[in-house]
Amino acid sequence: MTNWPNHAEAWRQWRDALGGERMHHGWLLAGKAGLGKRDFAMAAARELVAEEGVPQPQGEHPDIITLTYGPKDDKGEKAQAEGKPFELARSIRIKQIRAMQRRLVTRPTLGTRRAIIIDPADDMEKAATNALLKSLEEPPQGTFFLLVTHRPARLLPTIRSRCRTLRFPVLTDSQIAALLADQGIPPDQQAIAAAEGSFGAALRFAGQDLAPIARVIAGLIAGGDSGLTGRGELARLIGPRADRERVTAVLELAQSLTARAARASDNPAHRARLIDAHGALVNLAAEAPTANFDPGMLPFEIGSLLVTAAPASDPAHG
């Protein structure tokens, strides 16, 4: 497990509560993606359920239930049961919450406590959120919820109000560089800067070899593209048949670099264009997985949105 340098305060608060007279039953682990919140949740859950004199398993724990993205459909569920690859759903569904709740009518297996980890809680479908709220309102004795959230505002206010929040700060560039080095990955300063404090993002950028793409994106934002040269280079680097993971990583990178440029700009009109471009990239990222985009044209769409943010920009599709 990664040794996260940004977890010290969260651990202090968690252990203070764990050693207190009354442990809160609901916890929000809040912060941007890529800060180790899932690692914290798993380690904290193990501390929670462990009891003196009761041997604890090293692997999967019967009193720690983790809910995350499951199979997309019945075909995926069959593939999962057979140990075959399957496509993931894009949300945590009500049937997963219902299955978890059925387990709560029984006592924990090894001790007196049980931990429920939901990751990411902000990607629960509406019906799942409403069903979870009932368990948070009347939690069974000895049951504790750890909700990993990248965007707490997407959760119902009634869920947020029933949980105590642990906030996870972003990492410094030097901390990310050290974590990458621990993984045997040569740190790339441009990718680290674009990750904006998220080790997960830096790891994706490194795994996808996005440093050359970052340089092209930065060039499009700063100088536009009088023809299609820059956008053509972006398309070449992304690849003609990029998979969803690569496209997602590129869109995250483009959003990050656009946001960074907006923060650095002291020109109100230029900053407004950068903010508009960032919003359009966010919308494109939301649409790309399900919309019928031509894979060969999507990089040009990304590039054209970046060009609109340049100080002397071309028309969006020029």
Side-chain angles (χ1 to χ4, degrees):
M1 186 176 290
T2 301
N3 183 21
W4 295 94
N6 58 327
H7 287 190
E9 177 59 19
W11 276 121
R12 186 194 66 77
Q13 293 185 40
W14 174 262
R15 287 170 176 153
D16 282 352
L18 196 57
E21 293 184 3
R22 187 172 180 178
M23 178 76 167
H24 203 286
H25 71 276
W27 294 77
L28 288 184
L29 311 186
K32 71 187 300 183
L35 298 179
K37 299 188 298 296
R38 174 188 275 251
D39 280 0
F40 180 94
M42 292 301 300
R46 283 191 170 273
E47 287 195 1
L48 177 77
V49 301
E51 294 187 9
E52 187 175 353
V54 180
Q56 300 294 307
Q58 293 299 311
E60 187 173 339
H61 198 293
D63 294 328
I64 299 175
I65 302 170
T66 302
L67 304 184
T68 188
Y69 305 113
K72 179 181 178 181
D73 48 29
D74 292 344
K75 181 179 177 182
E77 289 180 0
K78 182 179 178 181
Q80 183 186 40
E82 296 172 351
K84 297 177 181 177
F86 57 90
E87 187 175 354
L88 292 175
R90 294 182 57 78
S91 62
I92 296 171
R93 299 184 171 169
I94 187 170
K95 66 179 179 179
Q96 295 173 269
I97 301 296
R98 294 294 191 210
M100 175 269 291
Q101 289 171 327
R102 286 194 291 271
R103 293 182 61 178
L104 300 187
V105 302
T106 63
R107 292 178 58 84
T109 302
L110 298 182
T112 59
R113 289 175 168 178
R114 175 188 281 126
I116 314 297
I117 298 171
I118 303 180
D119 177 27
D122 31 78
D123 274 352
M124 286 186 291
E125 62 185 16
K126 185 176 180 180
T129 301
N130 290 330
L132 175 66
L133 182 57
K134 294 179 181 179
S135 293
L136 284 171
E137 288 173 337
E138 300 178 6
Q141 186 173 359
T143 296
F144 300 84
F145 295 87
L146 293 90
L147 310 185
V148 176
T149 174
H150 313 317
R151 295 156 293 184
R154 291 187 60 179
L155 293 171
L156 290 174
T158 43
I159 284 183
R160 296 199 303 270
S161 69
R162 284 165 174 77
C163 295
R164 177 173 170 179
T165 299
L166 291 179
R167 300 195 182 278
F168 291 76
V170 296
L171 295 150
T172 65
D173 288 358
S174 61
Q175 287 172 335
I176 293 177
L179 289 171
L180 288 172
D182 287 345
Q183 299 278 338
I185 300 171
D188 180 278
Q189 291 306 314
Q190 190 162 18
I192 289 172
E196 297 199 303
S198 166
F199 177 56
L203 211 53
R204 284 193 299 277
F205 296 162
Q208 292 282 351
D209 189 25
L210 295 189
I213 292 177
R215 287 189 282 273
V216 173
I217 288 174
L220 291 171
I221 293 172
D225 192 19
S226 58
L228 289 173
T229 305
R231 280 164 278 190
E233 179 64 4
L234 181 64
R236 184 188 70 79
L237 289 170
I238 293 173
R241 289 287 179 263
D243 60 21
R244 188 167 82 175
E245 184 178 354
R246 184 165 178 79
V247 170
T248 298
V250 170
L251 281 163
E252 287 179 354
L253 178 63
Q255 291 171 51
S256 176
L257 290 174
T258 306
R260 185 156 59 111
R263 289 194 298 272
S265 177
D266 56 5
N267 182 309
H270 184 210
R271 189 184 304 115
R273 286 198 299 275
L274 288 161
I275 291 170
D276 287 346
H278 182 271
L281 287 164
V282 170
N283 291 336
L284 182 61
E287 296 170 1
T290 55
N292 189 27
F293 286 107
D294 181 337
M297 292 304 297
L298 186 56
F300 284 92
E301 181 72 16
I302 295 170
S304 293
L305 291 174
L306 294 167
V307 166
T308 65
S313 61
D314 295 338
H317 300 280

